[in-house]
Amino acid sequence: VAAVVIAATSAVPEAQRRNRGDNSIHGTPVATNTITRSPDRYYGKLVTVSAAVDEVLSKTVFVVDQRKAAGAGAVKAVGTPLLVIAPNLVGTLEQGRYFMVRGEVVKFSAGAIAADAAGYGLDVAPHALAKYEGQPVLMATSIIDGKYSELTKAAAPP
């Protein structure tokens, strides 16, 4: 019995070290305005943003922002809009709906996006993305809707 107790108590800390005992594999939960205010803190890091879709620019590119109740049945944007690029998006997004978006924050450059997402081409006219040049964007690897459905397909292995 003593051997089982010792084995069990030593296995738990090892499992916690392996899993880090936290949610870091899901990315740091962060608001859109926090990313846009201090982007250097987030470049290259995995984050999770829970925000509403402000604008759908294409099948794989959209803008999100946090919202706040502004009266009975009315909401207003309260964060800072953040561009999201989701090369593997297969689901449908509805403007005004909240989604949980997980991915890596990168500095926007059409060339860098093409290099980061091999085989993906931005499906938005360059003039529509010009205002995002050099700004932080979220390269989404997972998008979950309000029904906890995954809206992206798994990326093909390199």
Side-chain angles (χ1 to χ4, degrees):
V1 173
V4 171
V5 171
I6 292 171
T9 58
S10 66
V12 171
E14 177 60 29
Q16 287 175 339
R17 277 192 295 274
R18 254 192 331 265
N19 295 331
R20 297 173 47 176
D22 61 18
N23 289 328
S24 63
I25 62 168
H26 299 292
T28 303
V30 64
T32 58
N33 59 341
T34 303
I35 294 171
T36 56
R37 203 177 306 135
S38 304
D40 290 335
R41 292 181 57 196
Y42 297 98
Y43 285 139
K45 295 195 175 155
L46 183 64
V47 300
T48 297
V49 173
S50 178
V53 173
D54 257 3
E55 183 180 7
V56 177
L57 301 175
S58 76
K59 289 174 64 175
T60 61
V61 180
F62 56 100
V63 178
V64 296
D65 197 355
Q66 266 76 43
R67 294 176 178 259
K68 173 182 171 182
V75 295
K76 67 177 182 173
V78 294
T80 306
L82 180 67
L83 184 69
V84 177
I85 300 173
N88 298 312
L89 180 63
V90 293
T92 304
L93 301 174
E94 290 181 50
Q95 193 166 340
R97 296 262 184 197
Y98 260 74
F99 294 87
M100 192 162 57
V101 184
R102 180 177 38 234
E104 181 181 350
V105 178
V106 298
K107 186 179 281 192
F108 181 74
S109 159
I113 299 304
D116 283 349
Y120 170 73
L122 281 168
D123 52 355
V124 179
H127 71 275
L129 297 175
K131 67 182 179 181
Y132 297 103
E133 190 68 33
Q135 299 297 314
V137 301
L138 184 56
M139 289 295 294
T141 55
S142 174
I143 301 172
I144 298 173
D145 67 10
K147 296 177 183 174
Y148 299 101
S149 297
E150 178 62 59
L151 302 180
T152 59
K153 65 179 177 183

